[in-house]
Amino acid sequence: MVQQVTPETTIEVIYPESDGQPMADNTEQFTWIVKIKENLEILFPSPADVFIAGDLFWYPVKGSPNIKQAPDTMVVFGRPKGKRGSYLQWHEDNIPPQVVFEILSPGNTLKEMTKKLQFYQRYGVEEYYIYDPDKNDLNGLLRSGDSFEVIEEMNDWVSPRLGIRFTLTPETLEIFSPTGQKFLTPVEIDQLREQERQRAERECQAKEAALEELEKERDRYQELLAKLKEKGIDTDNL
């Protein structure tokens, strides 16, 4: 009797790219997520090895689809930019996000945020920033060995990885790039772009007006010379 050998079957592990939950609970939270993510994209436009994402599932362990988080914004140095349905760390040279931002909303629970902190601490995040726009409260944690240490003073704190500076005013959080440029919303960026366009247009119109006036002056000068010549005056010796 010949024994039949059954080939081993490989079970495909599915890593969902969405949990069906909204990206943000309210407009304020969404505005901050977009503001931080897009300004970081502006800050690192060219380097091919700085990947930035918002609300993207990060799976640190192959074969464990239940071990995941979707940071509001994450930054990964050492990985190329490009489209991803999720961040599968074993496909990314096993490089974890080094910087993570979370924007709190009234729906966030202490239990949820504790789990996130433990996750980020365990899987290699170096800098973890948590901002509550309702309370205008910013907290930061910095990796020390295998654990996080609380950053005692966040006002004017400069991120070691990003080089950005956090400033807390009585009303809100302001973030500045290493060159001093303030992080702006897309609407504010568009307004500045429009102001710059209008300024450039005014300068162009002013130059055109100056050239037109210069042309008129030249014409008047030529008319004056012609009249002097008609009267027999030698204009070459004036």
Side-chain angles (χ1 to χ4, degrees):
M1 181 178 179
V2 177
Q3 184 177 1
Q4 297 292 328
V5 178
T6 304
E8 292 184 4
T9 58
T10 302
I11 300 175
E12 181 182 4
V13 179
I14 304 299
Y15 302 92
E17 297 180 358
S18 172
D19 58 2
Q21 299 298 314
M23 178 177 177
D25 292 341
N26 55 55
T27 56
E28 182 76 2
Q29 186 188 26
F30 181 79
T31 296
W32 273 101
I33 293 171
V34 172
K35 182 177 183 178
I36 292 173
K37 190 265 183 186
E38 292 305 311
N39 278 271
L40 289 175
E41 293 279 16
I42 293 171
L43 183 60
F44 299 100
S46 300
D49 62 345
V50 181
F51 174 66
I52 301 166
D55 195 44
L56 184 75
F57 269 141
W58 162 27
Y59 292 93
V61 182
K62 185 177 182 180
S64 301
N66 292 326
I67 301 176
K68 65 182 184 296
Q69 281 294 340
D72 287 336
T73 301
M74 67 180 186
V75 184
V76 191
F77 289 85
R79 295 308 302 153
K81 296 181 182 298
K83 295 180 180 180
R84 290 169 175 78
S86 58
Y87 190 81
L88 305 176
Q89 189 171 309
W90 55 95
H91 288 167
E92 308 285 353
D93 286 345
N94 207 35
I95 299 176
Q98 293 96 351
V99 186
V100 163
F101 293 83
E102 291 287 356
I103 307 300
L104 297 185
S105 72
N108 291 124
T109 64
L110 178 60
K111 180 179 180 181
E112 175 189 0
M113 297 312 297
T114 299
K115 285 185 175 180
K116 287 186 176 183
L117 188 153
Q118 292 173 339
F119 180 96
Y120 298 144
Q121 181 173 263
R122 179 173 182 180
Y123 292 107
V125 170
E126 297 174 10
E127 302 176 40
Y128 178 27
Y129 300 106
I130 310 145
Y131 180 58
D132 184 340
D134 290 336
K135 296 179 180 178
N136 189 28
D137 183 44
L138 175 67
N139 288 280
L141 298 108
L142 193 64
R143 177 164 294 278
S144 177
D146 294 330
S147 62
F148 281 141
E149 286 188 358
V150 174
I151 301 169
E152 296 296 339
E153 180 55 68
M154 282 304 302
N155 194 32
D156 286 333
W157 169 262
V158 177
S159 161
R161 271 283 188 176
L162 305 175
I164 61 176
R165 176 169 55 87
F166 302 92
T167 298
L168 281 165
T169 72
E171 295 80 25
T172 189
L173 168 65
E174 293 181 343
I175 307 175
F176 298 89
S177 73
T179 59
Q181 297 296 315
K182 182 179 175 181
F183 277 26
L184 302 172
T185 66
V187 172
E188 291 170 332
I189 292 173
D190 185 67
Q191 289 172 344
L192 283 181
R193 187 183 297 115
E194 177 61 19
Q195 290 172 9
E196 179 60 24
R197 186 194 66 78
Q198 292 178 0
R199 184 194 64 77
E201 186 176 324
R202 287 194 298 269
E203 286 186 356
C204 183
Q205 291 172 347
K207 289 179 181 178
E208 289 176 354
L211 289 173
E212 185 177 343
E213 185 61 29
L214 184 62
E215 186 71 20
K216 289 179 180 179
E217 285 293 332
R218 191 187 70 170
D219 291 343
R220 286 194 289 267
Y221 178 70
Q222 293 298 329
E223 290 175 3
L224 176 60
L225 290 179
K227 289 179 180 179
L228 291 175
K229 286 181 179 180
E230 289 176 0
K231 293 181 180 181
I233 298 173
D234 184 4
T235 58
D236 294 333
N237 295 320
L238 288 178

